[in-house]
Amino acid sequence: MQLLEERILKDGKVFAGNVLKVDSFLNHQIDVGLLDAMGAEISRLFAGAGITKVLTIEASGIAVGCFAARRLECPLLFAKKTKTLNIKGEVYTSKVESFTHQCTYDIIASKDFLNENDTVLIVDDFLAKGNALIGLIDIVRQSGAKLAGCAIAIEKGYQGGGDKLRTQGIRVESMAIVESMDEQTGSVTFRR
Ligand code: 5GP
């Protein structure tokens, strides 16, 4: 999406450790017009896939997930992050290795809101090594729901997570794919 690429070039900041900071428009302060355009594009790409639920992970996936779900006219369900698993039985659980915080945490989603009758679109703000998506895909598999694919705002293509999932036959659509980032110069290039 050209609009998103232009915004990354204008306002994105490259930090040490392969982190692209976009908190002025995507995951702290939110440009609702830009996210609305992303929601429209995601809905266009997955029109006809019969999506009944958008699934994301708290906290920063929620905004983009909401806009996608609004356009797809279905609910948004967000997996919660938890350090201690004290509710068993009523929830699907999986483990995720955090790229930004370098720790492992559990994610949970209630069995009340996802089952074998659902067709799920997974949405997130970033895709790096793919660990967050793998955890969410695991939850979809446990529920018996059908996975339509994944829609991501910003994929860092050179970290390989997206291509790993694509080679497994999972449809992954990213609104922008970063091909390279340079912490020294602050430059960002995109995959074409
Ligand atoms: P993965 O699990 O694919 O390695 O990383 C994806 C998760 O890590 C996303 O949910 C996102 O919150 C976070 N993340 C990964 N890379 C970046 C980045 O460059 N910038 C920001 N702000 N978050 C990132």
Side-chain angles (χ1 to χ4, degrees), residues 115-184:
N115 61 47
E116 66 276 10
N117 299 318
D118 282 307
T119 298
V120 179
L121 174 65
I122 294 175
V123 169
D124 205 0
D125 62 337
F126 269 94
L127 167 55
K129 294 182 177 171
N131 293 321
L133 288 192
I134 288 166
L136 291 168
I137 291 166
D138 184 27
I139 280 183
V140 174
R141 298 236 157 101
Q142 288 174 43
S143 75
K146 184 178 165 214
L147 179 66
C150 306
I152 304 296
I154 304 174
E155 174 179 345
K156 290 183 290 177
Y158 62 92
Q159 290 188 274
D163 290 336
K164 201 167 71 188
L165 294 170
R166 289 181 185 103
T167 57
Q168 290 170 23
I170 295 168
R171 182 177 178 196
V172 180
E173 301 279 0
S174 298
M175 301 305 101
I177 303 184
V178 173
E179 195 56 75
S180 70
M181 301 197 309
D182 188 327
E183 180 192 328
Q184 306 299 330

